[in-house]
Structures are given as C-alpha cells and as structure tokens.
Amino acid sequence: MEVQSVLNRPPGKIIVWGNLVLVTVIGLFLYLSDLIKIQKRYSGTYSVENQRVNPDSIIMLSTDLPHDIFLKEKLPLKARLSVIGAPDDTVTCNIVSFKTVKGKVYLYVRFFNIGEENAGQIVVEADSETLLTNIYNGIVKNSIKRPL
C-alpha cells in the first residue's frame, strides 16, 4: 500500500532536484561547447608564382585547393607551407586574399621566410563554428519541414 502511494505520487523534492540537475548538466554542456573550437584543415599543393620573395612581403601562390574553401571561410586564414621532402622547413603565414582565373586559385600570402624551393604542400587552417552552433544548425536544418 505504501509502495503504491509513492509510485502514484512521487515526492516533490525528487522532481525539483531532478529537473535542477538536468538543467545544470545541459547548461554546462552548452557553456563548454561554446568554448571548444574545432579547426578545419584543408591540404593541397602550391607553387610560387612570383620569384621575388622578400621578408614581410605578400607573394602569390597557385594552389589546387578548391575555390569554395576560401569563399566559406573568413580571410585572413592561417596556412602552413612546407617544401616537399623537407617537412622541417614549414612556414606559417596568412592568406590575405585570393582570386580565381580560369579555374585555378591564386592565393596572396603574407609570410616572413620561405625556403629556396618553389613547390610544396599547403595546409589551410580555419576556425570552424563552435560545437554549439553546429548542434543548433543541425537541429534547425533537420526540423525544417519540406513540402511533399
């Protein structure tokens, strides 16, 4: 009889504390997801288009990375350049702008030193949206009803 009465009407304190713990865990998850930044990395090849390379100058590189990457990310992007066969010669630089001519993407890059070689690998690193934004976009996109 006592068990039935507890099951039919649970104590109010259990419901209040349970809801409080649940809201706290969700709030903590949302707070931490806003702090976590996930970086996207795109890898491709590059070659130096203009041979005059001076420290703290902007040079033009051609790359086989697609045009879409640079459209959806905000410039300047951070890039790491490394010469093929010499991974120790990695240079971090900023992509200032880009243009596309006849399907080929040209990057205008500000850097501080670069090796003698003129061909290598490029890895573009971009800050992506926070985890919270990704979750929100996933919920919104999945909740939009499409006409039949």
Side-chain angles (χ1 to χ4, degrees):
M1 194 72 164
E2 291 178 20
V3 173
Q4 286 297 328
S5 66
V6 170
L7 289 177
N8 289 338
R9 186 162 186 252
K13 289 184 178 182
I14 292 177
I15 294 174
V16 169
W17 281 104
N19 287 340
L20 182 63
V21 168
L22 184 64
V23 168
T24 304
V25 168
I26 291 173
L28 185 61
F29 173 74
L30 293 176
Y31 174 73
L32 291 177
S33 66
D34 192 41
L35 294 178
I36 299 171
K37 301 275 185 186
I38 302 171
Q39 285 205 344
K40 296 178 187 173
R41 294 180 183 212
Y42 309 99
S43 182
T45 59
Y46 74 89
S47 60
V48 178
E49 292 294 319
N50 53 352
Q51 296 298 321
R52 295 182 61 192
V53 177
N54 299 318
D56 197 24
S57 63
I58 294 178
I59 64 165
M60 187 167 65
L61 303 174
S62 63
T63 181
D64 62 352
L65 288 169
H67 179 260
D68 298 343
I69 289 172
F70 303 102
L71 284 177
K72 64 182 171 182
E73 303 292 349
K74 293 180 182 176
L75 292 176
L77 291 173
K78 189 184 292 182
R80 291 185 297 116
L81 307 177
S82 61
V83 176
I84 293 175
D88 295 338
D89 295 339
T90 301
V91 177
T92 301
C93 56
N94 284 333
I95 300 171
V96 179
S97 64
F98 71 97
K99 69 177 181 177
T100 305
V101 178
K102 296 181 183 176
K104 193 169 186 180
V105 179
Y106 295 93
L107 306 175
Y108 293 96
V109 177
R110 180 180 296 278
F111 68 96
F112 299 98
N113 63 4
I114 194 167
E116 296 294 322
E117 299 293 326
N118 63 358
Q121 295 288 326
I122 182 171
V123 177
V124 178
E125 298 176 349
D127 287 333
S128 67
E129 299 168 322
T130 62
L131 184 60
L132 175 60
T133 307
N134 287 335
I135 292 171
Y136 174 76
N137 287 340
I139 292 170
V140 170
K141 288 177 185 174
N142 290 334
S143 65
I144 294 174
K145 297 182 179 176
R146 296 188 177 119
L148 297 175

